[in-house]
Amino acid sequence: MAAPPEHAATGSEQTDRPETNSEPDRSQPEPADSDADEPVGPKIRETPEDIRLEATANTVALHPSRDVLVCGDVDGDVYAYAYSCTEGETRELWSSGHHLKSCRQVRFSADGLKLFSVSRDKAVHQLDVERGQLVSRIRGAHAAAINSLLLVDENILATGDDRGTLKVWDMRKGEAFMDLKHHDDYISDIAVDQAKRILLTTSGDGTMGVFNIKRRRFELLSEFQSGDLTSVALMKRGKKVVCGSSEGTVYIFNWNGFGATSDRFAVKAESVDCIVPITDSIMCTASMDGYIRAINLLPNRVIGLIGQHVGEPIEEINKSWDSRFLVSCAHDQLIKFWEISNLHKTTVSDYRKRKKKDGRMKSLTKKALGDNDFFSGLVEETEKEEEEEEEDSDSGSD
């Protein structure tokens, strides 16, 4: 964690000073310079301080309009924090222990007033964001532990469990109007199109599922891929669907071409467990190897390294409401912040630049190699020299 706020040391400012005028001595000492005694203000950081948790967090979600995040941990507890770049001002707002087992996923409603969570205890909870109080609970929502959660709109909720069952709920009634099992293994992630019509699911059975909410029916499964499909996101204004896998490959589907992949991209990571779109073409991915990578889609390139939880698997990443920060949680029991505002300005051309001799990824943030990395300054200078003779795109290899 970061050092505590700096405090002004006033003792050294009371030393004797040479006489600069001819006035006689006075019985009362001169008042000290008010500017000299003024305490140093709090330190402003580039990113908020890391948040250290008591247990490993499985999930982290960020408020849609405020600097607030919520995480759920393996003990079933849910915590809310207000985060700030002013050192010492990141603080816990409330905690909730309503789940009996590990909290798998948390999500805010679009208005930021409600929070939904799912757990290994098979329950769906709705909490009040301001106070952290339980508003409603659906006990035994699934026959198996719930693994994934998606808010389709303010009233419709989709959940997926460890046995491959998808349920879609009308939260006004507390009832599921879709209950379908077409996957043979856990549902790892759920996404929806902009029209709120088609649900896409990824599963440990290596397939992507397509479900029609409006018609309340199953559409199709994609062809089987090698390894688990771990995450799903829409890119290129909804024209492309990307799926991460436990093998470190990104599978790309055309919209309405869900049966077979149109392309695939080997990231050369241990896995691609989480995908967060940043722009229409750039996404951030997190992996079991502890790295957060920025990847460009079409042309398919690893742009560089956003950050890392050294040697620790990352459970989830998400971006802040203003797209300034990427937030990650991992097995080191830390929530970390990464500054990604410059990533929106990054462009990647079709030209492939030369592979780096040391094989390292380009560092895209100051903290990418660690807060106290001795070589971080050297790496930045080297990269500046390389950019003079190479295009600002990556070779597609780590």
Side-chain angles (χ1 to χ4, degrees), residues 3 8 110 168 179 225 233:
V168 184
D179 185 349
Q225 313 299 335

Side-chain angles (χ1 to χ4, degrees), residues 53-354:
L53 306 172
E54 296 180 2
T56 299
N58 293 318
T59 178
V60 60
L62 285 91
H63 195 280
S65 59
R66 293 164 50 195
D67 292 344
V68 171
L69 67 82
V70 171
C71 62
D73 69 21
V74 295
D75 294 333
D77 297 321
V78 177
Y79 294 89
Y81 291 88
Y83 59 88
S84 173
C85 288
T86 302
E87 195 163 274
E89 289 194 3
T90 296
R91 68 190 190 281
E92 181 182 323
L93 300 176
W94 52 259
S95 63
S96 167
H98 295 293
H99 281 298
L100 303 177
K101 296 181 180 180
S102 177
C103 179
R104 296 277 186 83
Q105 207 147 50
V106 292
R107 291 292 181 264
F108 283 99
S109 60
D111 58 13
L113 300 178
K114 294 176 285 188
L115 182 79
F116 294 89
S117 62
V118 294
S119 167
R120 188 167 170 262
D121 64 12
K122 308 173 187 178
V124 177
H125 287 183
Q126 178 184 333
L127 302 176
D128 175 78
V129 170
E130 290 300 320
R131 297 170 293 174
Q133 294 181 346
L134 183 66
V135 175
S136 65
R137 174 194 288 126
I138 303 176
R139 291 188 177 92
H142 282 247
I146 306 174
N147 190 61
S148 54
L149 166 69
L150 173 75
L151 270 67
V152 178
D153 61 28
E154 59 181 342
N155 298 312
I156 306 301
L157 191 74
T159 53
D161 69 27
D162 283 356
R163 295 179 187 170
T165 298
L166 172 73
K167 289 190 177 185
V168 184
W169 304 82
D170 186 336
M171 295 306 294
R172 292 166 295 190
K173 301 177 181 178
E175 299 177 355
F177 61 85
M178 288 177 66
D179 185 349
L180 301 170
K181 185 183 185 309
H182 292 274
H183 289 294
D184 295 328
D185 208 335
Y186 69 98
I187 294 178
S188 56
D189 200 8
I190 310 173
V192 68
D193 68 328
Q194 190 172 6
K196 313 295 185 184
R197 177 174 168 267
I198 300 296
L199 277 181
L200 303 173
T201 57
T202 49
S203 172
D205 64 11
T207 65
M208 181 178 70
V210 184
F211 300 83
N212 192 311
I213 303 177
K214 298 298 183 183
R215 297 182 180 180
R216 303 187 180 187
R217 72 183 189 188
F218 164 74
E219 296 284 349
L220 61 93
L221 287 180
S222 73
E223 62 184 3
F224 287 89
Q225 313 299 335
S226 60
D228 302 5
L229 291 188
T230 55
S231 49
V232 59
L234 275 66
M235 301 287 291
K236 297 290 186 180
R237 300 183 181 179
K239 295 179 181 178
K240 298 288 183 180
V241 177
V242 292
C243 296
S245 74
S246 60
E247 304 297 314
T249 300
V250 175
Y251 295 96
I252 306 170
F253 296 84
N254 290 325
W255 187 259
N256 289 331
F258 301 126
T261 58
S262 63
D263 198 3
R264 62 187 63 191
F265 173 41
V267 181
K268 295 186 179 178
E270 286 188 22
S271 60
V272 178
D273 294 327
C274 313
I275 296 175
V276 174
I278 305 300
T279 68
D280 282 337
S281 300
I282 296 175
M283 57 189 177
C284 288
T285 66
S287 170
M288 289 282 291
D289 58 20
Y291 287 102
I292 302 171
R293 297 167 172 84
I295 296 176
N296 190 84
L297 185 69
L298 302 175
N300 302 329
R301 306 283 169 79
V302 175
I303 303 172
L305 179 65
I306 296 294
Q308 60 180 309
H309 292 255
V310 180
E312 298 290 347
I314 297 173
E315 287 291 340
E316 192 167 35
I317 55 176
N318 254 311
K319 65 178 180 179
S320 61
W321 64 273
D322 55 2
S323 297
R324 181 181 175 188
F325 303 119
L326 192 76
V327 181
S328 58
C329 61
H331 287 200
D332 55 9
Q333 300 181 16
L334 290 175
I335 294 177
K336 292 189 173 186
F337 299 80
W338 315 95
E339 219 281 342
I340 59 167
S341 57
N342 289 333
L343 199 57
H344 298 79
K345 307 172 186 176
T346 302
T347 57
V348 176
S349 69
D350 290 331
Y351 172 77
R352 287 181 176 270
K353 74 174 187 178
R354 289 184 291 116

